[in-house]
Amino acid sequence: MITGLDHVVVLTGDIAAASAAYETLFARTPSWRYSGGGADRTLFTLDNTTLELVAPHGDDDAAQRVRSALATQGEGLASLCFRTSDIARTHRRLDRLTLKPEPVTEVESRDETSGAVLSWKRTRAATDATRGVRMFFLEREQERPLSVRTTTASITAMDHVVVSTADPERAAALYGARLGLDMALDRSHPEWGRLMFFRCGDLVVEVTHRPGKSETDAPDRLRGICWRVADIDATRARLIAAGVDVSEVRTGRKPGTRVMTVRSGTCGVPTLLVQPSQGKPD
């Protein structure tokens, strides 16, 4: 049903500032810009997925919904959009799984710079059925253009997106049994709780659980993103020169990996960078 993670959505109150911040972080230009549905949108398309920045535009109901979401949750990760090759079949399966999908709609956008047009079909599952994480499902007719690298030591791809849960068994049932993602890892540790990795294309949806942190009926939350880099030392030097606050490089949990934390310029998204072991995806 799911072939990959098409994109993640990050809400922001200032599309220009957010776009500039991510252009600095990624060392890549935006791949697509457009307005519609009460929002201004800037997309950065990397090697395996897209980050979509969304800011309210106008005064219609759609714009007010975006403003309401910003007022409620602040800037940061807002939703996941999974890619499928057959939206009609996906919709039927979501319905059978009682994920209460909305009717499939056809959407089109025109890039404000090139004038090119992209079209797709999508549906959305009910948020109460996906344990509080907003999830969309999309079938695209064309590939998006890649974001052009502006300098060396750019971000190459997403490594994983993190979801925190208070009920790991129900989360495992959702991402594994119901959405059909392959569970690649299920591990517990007394210091950092339980980790579950679900493969989604060549990246991972990481589900985390820390015992005692919240009630079991608390909703799941999108927590952060880890991006891949080829040379973490060069990337750190580039970001420091650009005025971005980053941590020291440290050894990652997976043997052979090196990681660092980005502490500014991410629109409130907790962000980690990883240099995979031997050049392979983490």
Side-chain angles (χ1 to χ4, degrees):
M1 180 176 70
I2 292 172
T3 59
L5 183 62
D6 186 84
H7 65 274
V8 296
V9 173
V10 173
L11 290 183
T12 177
D14 187 333
I15 195 71
S19 299
Y22 270 93
E23 189 164 354
T24 297
L25 175 63
F26 291 150
R28 290 184 174 214
T29 60
S31 60
W32 202 264
R33 299 178 192 264
Y34 74 102
S35 295
D40 291 324
R41 304 168 189 269
T42 298
L43 281 64
F44 290 87
T45 300
L46 307 185
D47 293 356
N48 63 354
T49 195
T50 294
L51 180 137
E52 178 179 354
L53 299 169
V54 175
H57 175 85
D59 296 312
D60 61 11
D61 290 344
Q64 294 306 326
R65 286 194 294 271
V66 178
R67 290 191 178 91
S68 177
L70 272 170
T72 300
Q73 69 184 55
E75 287 193 324
L77 270 172
S79 59
L80 304 177
C81 183
F82 294 103
R83 188 171 183 179
T84 178
S85 59
D86 188 334
I87 194 67
R89 182 181 179 186
T90 297
H91 188 275
R92 291 192 297 270
R93 177 173 168 80
L94 292 172
D95 190 46
R96 289 197 301 271
L97 294 170
T98 65
L99 293 176
K100 299 180 282 187
E102 296 178 349
V104 174
T105 57
E106 297 188 13
V107 186
E108 183 178 279
S109 75
R110 184 181 300 274
D111 179 49
E112 66 180 36
T113 301
S114 68
V117 175
L118 289 175
S119 57
W120 61 93
K121 300 174 183 177
R122 74 177 183 190
T123 185
R124 174 187 171 187
T127 304
D128 61 349
T130 55
R131 299 194 45 78
V133 175
R134 288 165 52 92
M135 291 185 190
F136 293 82
F137 302 82
L138 174 152
E139 177 188 344
R140 281 198 272 122
E141 295 187 4
Q142 312 97 347
E143 295 297 325
R144 297 189 191 96
L146 285 174
S147 291
V148 176
R149 289 175 169 84
T150 57
T151 186
T152 58
S154 62
I155 306 298
T156 61
M158 182 184 289
D159 191 80
H160 59 271
V161 60
V162 181
V163 179
S164 68
T165 184
D167 191 332
E169 296 304 328
R170 289 187 178 180
L174 171 62
Y175 290 94
R178 302 176 81 187
L179 295 183
L181 302 182
D182 176 40
M183 180 185 279
L185 177 74
D186 184 357
R187 181 176 298 167
S188 296
H189 190 280
E191 292 185 6
W192 36 259
R194 185 175 176 183
L195 292 179
M196 293 179 284
F197 289 0
F198 296 89
R199 295 198 183 280
C200 186
D202 78 334
L203 57 83
V204 165
V205 177
E206 177 182 311
V207 179
T208 68
H209 172 245
R210 292 182 178 272
K213 292 294 182 180
S214 57
E215 300 297 327
T216 57
D217 59 351
D220 294 352
R221 295 184 60 190
L222 293 170
R223 300 298 296 182
I225 298 176
C226 179
W227 302 102
R228 295 178 195 150
V229 299
D231 184 335
I232 200 165
D233 296 307
T235 302
R236 183 173 185 273
R238 173 179 66 79
L239 291 173
I240 289 174
V244 179
D245 184 12
V246 297
S247 72
E248 296 290 333
V249 176
R250 59 190 184 275
T251 301
R253 286 179 181 166
K254 183 176 180 178
T257 61
R258 302 173 69 218
V259 302
M260 72 177 181
T261 303
V262 181
R263 298 186 289 227
S264 68
T266 64
C267 299
V269 179
T271 298
L272 193 72
L273 303 186
V274 61
Q275 178 181 307
S277 56
Q278 300 179 349
K280 298 179 181 179
D282 187 20

